[in-house]
Amino acid sequence: MITVLFSGDAAKRPLYDPALREAAEKAGLAMQLHLDPEAVQPEEVDYLVYDGNGPVQDFAPYTGLRAVLNLWAGVEAVMRCNPRPDLPVARMIEPGLTEGMRDYVIGHVLRHHLDIDQYIGADPITEWELTFPPLSRNRTVGILGLGALGADCGAHLAHLGFQVLGWARSQKEIPEVTCFSGANGLSELISRAEILVLLLPHTEETARLLNAERIAALPEGACIVNAGRGALIDHEALLEALNRGHIRHATMDVFDVEPLPADHPYWAHPRVTVTPHIASVTRPETASEAIVANILRDQSGEPMLGIVRRTLGY
């Protein structure tokens, strides 16, 4: 019998309680589940399911932990909780997370590709002009970040016919996606991406990666979809590029400060769409199945999925 502590906020407990128990029962995992840190001695906990908004924000008392299983794909919050050097920390990888990101990215890429905004909320069109967008095969989409989410989005955009370019820290191979790495590869992708999708994690290397110089290097009239991290972008440089029309539109789902302050210029900017960090949300049913599967892997001596590489920050 293993002991699992779910450290989530109060609103998530009634959702994850049945989902985790059902997933464990289906998988044949003998599990004692606790939803309140006060109900169990810290040293008795084998696996801690971590939520950045939950009550446990310091792992030091949990001396018996075999692993921390993060509910989020991003790991900035969990790494601030003092995990000991040898403690495995697993980021969330689950089908619902991947599918949700895919829907968000494809939806906004198609929106910008078709320039649908010019018709939504616009004045009535009394005279029709013969204008039309290019076919998807004539549109280049760039994706920065080719992890589980970026690779999936890239493959599906390529299936829709787009010319898809992808960039990652190390060289990747994805069917129908032209992959780049390194500084030269980043410059090449930036220079060609008519629609740029950001799906990178926040690390020292990626902070303000999309700076003024790289924004200026994007093709005239390019669009940006940021579903990665707010810190990836120099926001003042982006606003300047939006104001002068070099960037046609920016869809922003993540920000330096969340919720986005009411006085932030993005809210009122006609070329910016703000969404409230909804691009991809962890879903209790599929996430619980992924958590239980990872615990079973550890119990059987197999490597767990999504282990954070401390030196890389993700």
Side-chain angles (χ1 to χ4, degrees):
M1 178 75 70
I2 64 167
T3 300
V4 176
L5 172 61
F6 177 80
S7 175
D9 64 43
K12 291 178 181 175
R13 292 180 187 179
L15 302 175
Y16 277 91
D17 184 7
L20 282 167
R21 295 183 192 280
E22 182 178 351
E25 183 178 353
K26 285 182 178 179
L29 176 67
M31 175 185 73
Q32 185 178 34
L33 177 65
H34 294 278
L35 304 174
D36 182 356
E38 300 297 325
V40 60
Q41 294 298 316
E43 65 272 12
E44 296 177 358
V45 178
D46 298 302
Y47 298 93
L48 191 147
V49 180
Y50 173 80
D51 171 9
N53 297 320
V56 176
Q57 296 297 323
D58 183 3
F59 301 148
Y62 294 85
T63 56
L65 278 182
R66 293 180 58 93
V68 174
L69 299 120
N70 194 25
L71 279 181
W72 301 350
V75 300
E76 298 96 321
V78 71
M79 297 310 294
R80 290 195 293 264
C81 292
N82 195 30
R84 65 179 191 267
D86 64 333
L87 178 64
V89 177
R91 55 189 170 83
M92 177 55 67
I93 300 175
E94 60 102 355
L97 200 63
T98 304
E99 292 170 26
M101 184 62 80
R102 180 198 310 160
D103 290 349
Y104 184 94
V105 168
I106 289 176
H108 285 285
V109 166
L110 285 171
R111 168 190 164 213
H112 295 314
H113 166 61
L114 297 171
D115 198 13
I116 290 174
D117 287 9
Q118 68 174 311
Y119 305 109
I120 298 175
D123 294 332
I125 301 173
T126 57
E127 295 185 12
W128 288 14
E129 297 181 6
L130 185 59
T131 60
F132 45 85
L135 296 173
S136 57
R137 68 170 181 260
N138 296 321
R139 178 80 77 185
T140 301
V141 179
I143 300 177
L144 300 185
L146 295 176
L149 301 180
D152 181 84
C153 289
H156 281 83
L157 286 167
H159 180 72
L160 290 175
F162 290 100
Q163 299 180 39
V164 181
L165 315 178
W167 182 87
R169 179 179 175 275
S170 57
Q171 188 63 33
K172 307 287 186 181
E173 297 293 333
I174 302 171
E176 299 186 74
V177 176
T178 302
C179 297
F180 297 94
S181 62
N184 291 338
L186 178 59
S187 296
E188 175 72 12
L189 183 148
I190 290 288
S191 69
R192 295 167 56 185
E194 298 169 276
I195 301 174
L196 182 66
V197 180
L198 279 68
L199 292 174
L200 288 163
H202 177 202
T203 67
E204 291 183 4
E205 289 74 22
T206 64
R208 305 303 188 237
L209 186 76
L210 198 62
N211 56 22
E213 181 181 355
R214 294 192 177 107
I215 291 172
L218 284 163
E220 186 75 19
C223 294
I224 294 170
V225 178
N226 186 13
R229 286 292 180 264
L232 301 177
I233 295 179
D234 180 333
H235 297 283
E236 290 186 4
L238 176 57
L239 284 164
E240 191 276 332
L242 287 160
N243 288 337
R244 61 185 173 87
H246 178 68
I247 300 301
R248 176 159 57 92
H249 202 99
T251 295
M252 309 290 286
D253 187 58
V254 286
F255 309 93
D256 290 338
V257 177
E258 296 182 359
L260 185 66
D263 60 350
H264 197 284
Y266 283 151
W267 284 116
H269 203 291
R271 295 177 182 269
V272 177
T273 298
V274 172
T275 58
H277 205 142
I278 58 168
S280 191
V281 180
T282 307
R283 289 158 171 79
E285 293 78 12
T286 48
S288 295
E289 292 171 357
I291 288 167
V292 168
N294 233 2
I295 291 174
L296 285 173
R297 290 178 69 90
D298 185 57
Q299 289 287 303
S300 64
E302 297 181 66
M304 301 176 76
L305 301 179
I307 294 298
V308 176
R309 294 166 290 182
R310 306 286 182 94
T311 57
L312 300 181
Y314 58 89

